Amino acid sequence: MVLAVINTHAADAWEGAMEEFTEGDGSKESPYIIGTANELAFMSYVVSAGTQGFDTLHYKLIADIDLNNQPWFSIGEARNPFKGVFDGNNHTISNMNVADSSAETRSIGLFGYSSGATIKNITVKGIVSFTCLSLSIM
């Protein structure tokens, strides 16, 4: 008899899309479950946009995530900081390429701004690059 072990927790490379959470309600007892880069991007969007209530909720990562060097916008900004709980559940975010059009006025990273938040059990690994996006008006 031959047994094969397949790693079902390998990170899928992100293509830059977003999708809403399908598990959890954001409470301490039932945090939003983040298993894909699309769901992580959705978290970044709703927190940074100031979508009511998303900044103070609970989130739990259940898989390693490869951001595939796609432009990443940090979770939270000065006017809408992250105030919730993010449990990385000992997973890794890799290949982050932070995109920012106003690097002088924003903090950059996986999380840009937080206030009273708990961010735990997460590793950001690999090459973390920075892309400054700018517009030129003529």
Side-chain angles (χ1 to χ4, degrees):
M1 179 188 298
V2 176
L3 296 176
V5 177
I6 300 172
N7 181 0
T8 59
H9 298 288
D12 291 326
W14 185 44
E15 296 300 327
M18 286 189 289
E19 66 185 44
E20 293 186 36
F21 310 115
T22 59
E23 295 181 61
D25 62 14
S27 67
K28 182 177 181 178
E29 299 76 24
S30 181
Y32 281 122
I33 300 299
I34 298 173
T36 67
N38 293 357
E39 292 167 335
L40 186 65
F42 180 72
M43 176 195 173
S44 177
Y45 172 77
V46 295
V47 170
S48 297
T51 306
Q52 188 164 355
F54 278 95
D55 59 339
T56 59
L57 297 176
H58 293 253
Y59 302 86
K60 185 175 184 178
L61 194 61
I62 61 165
D64 292 340
I65 293 181
D66 179 354
L67 292 177
N68 198 27
N69 292 309
Q70 296 292 320
W72 175 256
F73 292 88
S74 303
I75 300 168
E77 54 182 53
R79 68 175 180 248
N80 299 314
F82 178 64
K83 302 173 189 173
V85 175
F86 182 87
D87 183 357
N89 201 24
N90 297 312
H91 286 285
T92 299
I93 307 291
S94 60
N95 299 314
M96 185 171 63
N97 179 8
V98 179
D100 198 326
S101 60
S102 56
E104 295 174 4
T105 60
R106 288 185 51 160
S107 290
I108 57 172
L110 181 60
F111 287 84
Y113 280 90
S114 65
S115 176
T118 299
I119 301 165
K120 61 184 181 180
N121 304 321
I122 184 74
T123 299
V124 177
K125 183 174 145 185
I127 297 171
V128 177
S129 58
F130 171 75
T131 301
C132 185
L133 302 175
S134 62
L135 298 175
S136 180
I137 300 173
M138 303 185 127

